[in-house]
């Protein structure tokens, strides 16, 4: 017969609690509070902790898909920008696209840039209408996916965002009182880059040049379009693409990075200097 006063009949974690239940893995006595049901019997807290530590770590399904797509060479930066832009636009629809809280918080306004420098970037994610976002995201899908595959994710991201900031800098210089939304500066930067890279590789890009010219002309003709951003994006995007085309060899990558950083510093410095001049004028 089992002796009820045997110390082995008391929980190893709570010596004052008598129990006759053993951990299925280690055999230690455990009380009801320390028992965790298992496929067979129960386990003590230490065995549960050890089992969890040795179990393979599961990742969210969306993370697994992104990593799988990245390994396959999919343009994940392009898709990520599109996804974030669409999500922001949905928030705009809820709060108001024209003068809603999201639009006011993220849009570019030159006099505010010196105190709210993020606006030169966040303006690329807000749009004024369904047609506006559809045109920009379709263009990003067409040109961005191909450029990302050619340049790599890091260079493509630098090209996209510096072109967009270049568009904001042009607005600050040429239309300092404008309230601007949209990724058009970045999109025109991608178009210019695609043209420069295609020409450097010996390709014929007359159709693309005509397309860029038509869209640029529309900005001058149709009211309410910030053609200044288009122009700034073209200049910066074309300059970066020219840099990439001339420093493709691995031995020139250090030069490429240095010049790319210099372009970024110049664009941001021009933007902030102009914004500082505008404080109190509008």
């Amino acid at each position: 017969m089992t002796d009820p006063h045997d110390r082995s009949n008391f929980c190893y974690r709570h010596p004052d609690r008598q129990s006759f239940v053993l951990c299925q893995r280690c055999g230690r006595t455990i009380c009801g509070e320390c028992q965790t049901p298992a496929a067979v019997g129960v386990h003590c807290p230490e065995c549960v902790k050890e089992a969890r530590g040795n179990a393979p770590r599961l990742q969210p399904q969306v993370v697994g898909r992104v990593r799988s797509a990245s390994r396959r060479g999919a343009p994940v930066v392009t898709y990520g920008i599109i996804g974030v832009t669409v999500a922001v636009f949905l928030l705009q629809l809820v709060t108001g696209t024209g003068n809603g809280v999201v639009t006011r918080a993220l849009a570019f306004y030159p006099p505010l840039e010196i105190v709210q420098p993020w606006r030169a970037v966040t303006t690329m994610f807000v749009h004024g209408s369904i047609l506006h976002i559809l045109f920009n995201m379709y263009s990003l899908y067409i040109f961005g996916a191909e450029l990302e595959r050619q340049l790599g994710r890091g260079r493509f991201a630098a090209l996209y965002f510096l072109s967009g900031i270049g568009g904001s800098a042009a607005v600050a210089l040429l239309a300092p009182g404008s309230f601007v939304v949209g990724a058009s500066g970045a999109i025109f930067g991608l178009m210019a880059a695609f043209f420069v890279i295609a020409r450097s590789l010996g390709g014929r890009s007359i159709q693309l040049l005509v397309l860029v010219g038509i869209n640029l002309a529309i900005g001058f003709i149709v009211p309410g379009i910030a053609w200044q951003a288009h122009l700034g994006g073209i200049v910066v995007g074309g300059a970066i693409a020219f840099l990439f085309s001339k420093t493709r060899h691995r031995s020139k990558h250090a030069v490429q990075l240095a010049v790319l950083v210099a372009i970024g510093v110049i664009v941001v410095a021009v933007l902030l200097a102009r914004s500082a001049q505008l404080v109190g004028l509008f």
Side-chain angles (χ1 to χ4, degrees):
M1 178 175 290
T2 304
D3 182 3
H5 300 290
D6 187 347
R7 298 311 303 172
S8 64
N9 295 328
F10 288 80
C11 176
Y12 79 100
R13 297 180 77 237
H14 303 95
D16 59 329
R17 300 180 187 178
Q18 190 176 35
S19 176
F20 299 97
V21 178
L22 305 180
C23 172
Q24 189 67 26
R25 294 187 67 183
C26 67
R28 286 181 287 197
T29 302
I30 47 179
C31 65
E33 182 181 339
C34 298
Q35 297 170 15
T36 299
V40 178
V42 293
H43 290 168
C44 67
E46 275 69 20
C47 289
V48 170
K49 183 178 180 180
E50 181 182 355
R52 288 175 178 172
N54 294 331
R57 296 186 179 276
L58 300 178
Q59 59 185 7
Q61 191 175 31
V62 64
V63 175
R65 289 181 177 178
V66 169
R67 289 180 176 175
S68 177
S70 178
R71 287 192 293 269
R72 294 196 305 269
V76 294
V77 175
T78 299
Y79 295 160
I81 293 172
I82 292 174
V84 173
T85 305
V86 171
V88 171
F89 187 71
L90 292 177
L91 291 176
Q92 285 185 266
L93 291 178
V94 173
T95 61
T97 55
N99 198 33
V101 60
V102 174
T103 305
R104 293 197 309 272
L106 303 181
F108 177 68
Y109 183 58
L112 287 178
E113 186 63 22
I114 191 66
V115 293
Q116 298 178 353
W118 61 82
R119 288 180 177 270
V121 175
T122 57
T123 188
M124 302 180 212
F125 297 103
V126 292
H127 288 80
S129 66
I130 292 289
L131 288 178
H132 191 196
I133 189 174
L134 284 178
F135 173 80
N136 281 346
M137 292 304 98
Y138 178 72
S139 299
L140 174 57
Y141 176 76
I142 296 298
F143 294 103
E146 183 60 31
L147 283 169
E148 185 175 344
R149 292 187 182 98
Q150 291 185 25
L151 300 175
R153 298 186 181 101
R155 293 183 185 89
F156 170 74
L159 169 65
Y160 183 83
F161 287 106
L162 285 180
S163 295
I165 295 172
S168 296
V171 171
L173 290 171
L174 304 175
S178 299
F179 186 82
V180 179
V181 297
S184 298
I187 297 302
F188 273 81
L190 296 186
M191 292 181 180
F194 197 92
F195 173 79
V196 171
I197 291 174
R199 294 290 294 178
S200 70
L201 297 175
R204 301 184 63 182
S205 49
I206 300 300
Q207 293 179 335
L208 176 60
L209 186 60
V210 172
L211 176 63
V212 174
I214 292 174
N215 282 280
L216 189 60
I218 291 175
F220 288 99
I221 298 171
V222 178
I225 296 179
W227 58 266
Q228 300 87 352
H230 301 175
L231 191 60
I234 289 175
V235 171
V236 175
I240 292 175
F242 181 78
L243 168 66
F244 288 160
S245 68
K246 296 300 181 182
T247 56
R248 284 181 291 169
H249 196 275
R250 183 175 298 179
S251 63
K252 298 180 179 179
H253 283 184
V255 175
Q256 180 185 103
L257 179 60
V259 177
L260 182 62
V261 170
I263 292 174
V265 170
I266 291 172
V267 172
V268 172
V270 169
L271 175 60
L272 294 180
R274 179 56 172 163
S275 177
Q277 293 176 345
L278 299 173
V279 173
L281 297 180
F282 291 90

